[in-house]
């Protein structure tokens, strides 16, 4: 479990979205994740080294870091056997001593008792370690205000929803995403039609001119995102896009101080099909546009091939809201970098009917029915 302490007063540091740094809430000094890299490298270089005097004095007084990690690994194995609790791991909070139970896939969490962050950075190893991260730029207070503003603008939601909904939980989460890069080469055929009419004597002649446009198209796609969690709503995540990928920085556990994080449970090879589908939709639209000026166009055939496929693992910042209203649960998401929000709001039937009547659609339909009956 890893924590970061202020180099001036010793207080624990947390990521400050507004400052874009690790900021001490007591003396207000700020640090970047890189400020701790030298100290970590030095600590790593001296792992497992103990003087003869230290051994004579204590022996078992303090384990080397290697022994500590071996012991934690043994405890982890015991907690992840084939028993009913195989998916749970117990960690002891270093601040208040409480036992924090979390899923074995969790890589960062917060103590439910004292609210302090617990960073489980020693579990971020091997294939599970992200290559990059976009730090939070929107803090919790800002995210709550964005959510409240979203509710106020919901014209078709019940009036009581804005005042009676209960925010059960707000979580700042680093969501595991796969960023897919690849090149698409496709041969396509677009069917097109122009319609013209003219008089021939007393008759009106309508002519349909049909065309088939064949083309070869190519597209280079960068950083098409797909989330790596099975239990997360893919549509909700796609609705808060885009992220600014120029803000991607090399992963450092310090960015997770004070936030939640989960390891991916869907591999990049299992989500790249979603990315290709999005790319193909864009390519089809481009083919239709490039076909030329016709009154009607439609895709007749589209045959893609993919090369240069690379999938990169990144952590992207998201605020998740779990809200209850009249016994029903609703989930909202706020992009932790841009502040874009998405989520389904409850619909008021009376307001919906009123909106339809106001548009005149239902009125016209009723008038038509009355004429037919008469």
């Amino acid at each position: 479990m890893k924590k970061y302490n202020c180099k001036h007063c010793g207080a624990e540091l947390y990521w400050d979205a507004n400052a874009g740094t690790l900021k001490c809430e007591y003396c207000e000094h700020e640090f970047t994740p890189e400020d701790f890299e030298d100290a970590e490298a030095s600590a790593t270089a001296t792992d497992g080294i103990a003087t003869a005097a230290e051994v004579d004095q204590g022996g078992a007084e303090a384990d080397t870091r290697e022994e500590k990690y071996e012991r934690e690994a043994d405890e982890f194995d015991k907690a992840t056997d084939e028993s009913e609790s195989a998916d749970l791991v117990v960690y002891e909070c270093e601040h208040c001593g409480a036992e924090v139970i979390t899923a074995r896939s969790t890589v960062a969490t917060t103590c439910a008792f004292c609210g302090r962050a617990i960073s489980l950075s020693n579990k971020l190893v091997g294939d599970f370690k992200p290559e990059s991260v976009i730090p939070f730029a929107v803090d919790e207070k800002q995210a709550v205000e964005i959510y409240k503003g979203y509710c106020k603008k919901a014209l078709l939601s019940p009036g009581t929803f804005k005042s009676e909904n209960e925010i059960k939980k707000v979580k700042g989460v680093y969501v595991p995403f796969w960023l897919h890069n690849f090149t698409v080469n496709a041969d396509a055929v677009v069917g097109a039609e122009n319609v013209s009419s003219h008089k021939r004597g007393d008759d009106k002649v309508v002519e349909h001119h049909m065309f088939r446009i064949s083309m070869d198209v190519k597209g280079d796609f960068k950083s098409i995102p797909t989330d790596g969690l099975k239990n997360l709503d893919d549509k909700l995540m796609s609705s808060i896009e885009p992220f600014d990928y120029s803000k991607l920085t090399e992963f450092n556990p310090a960015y997770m101080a004070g936030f939640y994080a989960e390891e991916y449970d869907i591999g990049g090879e299992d989500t790249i099909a979603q990315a290709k589908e999005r790319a193909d939709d864009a390519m089809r639209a481009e083919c239709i546009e490039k076909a030329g000026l016709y009154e009607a166009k439609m895709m007749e055939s589209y045959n893609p091939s993919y090369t240069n496929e690379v999938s990169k693992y990144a952590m992207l910042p998201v605020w998740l809201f779990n809200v209850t209203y009249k016994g029903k649960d609703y989930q909202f998401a706020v992009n932790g970098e841009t502040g874009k929000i998405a989520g389904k709001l409850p619909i008021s039937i009376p307001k919906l009917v009123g909106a339809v009547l106001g548009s005149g659609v239902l009125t016209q339909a009723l008038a038509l029915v009355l004429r037919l009956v008469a």
Side-chain angles (χ1 to χ4, degrees):
M1 294 186 287
K2 195 174 197 61
K3 62 180 181 178
Y4 297 85
N5 296 91
C6 177
K7 296 183 178 182
H8 293 272
C9 70
E12 186 169 356
L13 299 172
Y14 295 92
W15 182 259
D16 187 302
N18 290 318
T21 60
L22 289 160
K23 187 173 182 178
C24 180
E25 59 185 13
Y26 296 98
C27 68
E28 297 189 347
H29 279 89
E30 299 179 6
F31 305 90
T32 67
E34 291 74 20
D35 290 334
F36 295 89
E37 289 181 351
D38 291 341
E40 290 174 3
S42 175
T44 302
T46 58
D47 281 352
I49 299 177
T51 65
E54 288 172 337
V55 174
D56 290 340
Q57 288 176 3
E61 248 180 41
D63 293 338
T64 65
R65 183 170 299 186
E66 182 178 357
E67 291 169 341
K68 178 182 177 183
Y69 284 173
E70 287 177 357
R71 186 178 69 253
E72 289 177 348
D74 290 340
E75 293 171 355
F76 181 80
D77 290 339
K78 291 176 183 178
T80 54
D81 57 16
E82 297 179 356
S83 65
E84 292 181 355
S85 60
D87 291 327
L88 298 177
V89 183
V90 179
Y91 294 92
E92 182 176 303
C93 177
E94 294 182 351
H95 302 281
C96 68
E99 289 187 334
V100 179
I101 301 176
T102 182
R104 60 184 295 187
S105 62
T106 302
V107 295
T109 188
T110 304
C111 178
F113 299 91
C114 68
R116 291 292 190 175
I118 301 174
S119 178
L120 315 177
S121 58
N122 59 304
K123 293 178 62 183
L124 291 168
V125 296
D127 294 337
F128 290 107
K129 184 176 180 179
E131 295 180 47
S132 54
V133 60
I134 294 181
F136 272 87
V138 175
D139 63 24
E140 182 175 346
K141 183 179 179 181
Q142 292 170 324
V144 171
E145 290 303 314
I146 290 170
Y147 165 74
K148 290 180 178 178
Y150 185 65
C151 292
K152 288 180 180 178
K153 295 178 182 178
L155 300 179
L156 295 181
S157 292
T160 54
F161 177 77
K162 301 169 186 177
S163 58
E164 295 181 7
N165 73 82
E166 178 188 357
I167 301 177
K168 293 175 62 177
K169 189 178 292 185
V170 182
K171 293 170 61 177
V173 182
Y174 278 108
V175 176
F177 272 83
W178 292 101
L179 305 181
H180 302 284
N181 305 324
F182 49 80
T183 299
V184 181
N185 288 279
D187 58 83
V189 176
V190 176
E193 178 182 13
N194 280 337
V195 180
S196 62
S197 63
H198 61 272
K199 283 280 189 177
R200 182 180 295 169
D202 294 332
D203 299 323
K204 180 180 180 180
V205 178
V206 179
E207 295 181 348
H208 292 260
H209 302 274
M210 311 297 292
F211 305 89
R212 297 181 79 249
I213 302 96
S214 298
M215 62 182 74
D216 295 319
V217 291
K218 177 181 178 179
D220 291 312
F221 292 88
K222 305 292 184 184
S223 299
I224 298 181
T226 57
D227 74 79
L229 293 176
K230 294 177 182 177
N231 61 351
L232 198 57
D233 187 338
D234 293 339
K235 290 183 179 179
L236 185 63
M237 290 298 98
S238 62
S239 296
I240 62 171
E241 292 178 22
F243 289 87
D244 182 358
Y245 296 114
S246 68
K247 302 292 178 61
L248 278 171
T249 186
E250 184 178 354
F251 178 78
N252 188 311
Y255 289 113
M256 295 199 304
F259 296 100
Y260 290 77
E262 292 284 329
E263 291 177 344
Y264 68 84
D265 54 16
I266 307 176
E269 68 278 2
D270 297 319
T271 64
I272 194 170
Q274 300 174 35
K276 289 178 178 178
E277 184 177 346
R278 293 177 64 174
D280 288 337
D281 287 343
M283 293 287 283
R284 290 189 185 95
E286 184 178 353
C287 290
I288 293 292
E289 183 180 352
K290 285 185 174 181
L293 297 175
Y294 298 93
E295 293 184 11
K297 293 182 285 187
M298 63 178 294
M299 183 68 65
E300 290 188 359
S301 67
Y302 173 81
N303 302 298
S305 61
Y306 311 93
T307 56
N308 306 320
E309 297 182 20
V310 178
S311 298
K312 297 184 178 181
Y313 179 30
M315 289 286 194
L316 305 185
V318 179
W319 287 102
L320 291 178
F321 287 73
N322 293 306
V323 177
T324 58
Y325 174 69
K326 291 188 175 181
K328 187 175 180 180
D329 294 328
Y330 298 86
Q331 188 173 59
F332 301 86
V334 174
N335 186 314
E337 182 222 345
T338 66
K340 184 178 180 181
I341 186 172
K344 291 184 179 179
L345 292 156
I347 300 297
S348 167
I349 300 302
K351 286 188 176 182
L352 179 61
V353 172
V356 173
L357 286 172
S359 68
V361 174
L362 187 56
T363 303
Q364 294 175 15
L366 288 173
L368 177 61
V369 171
L370 290 173
R371 285 200 301 269
L372 292 174
V373 172

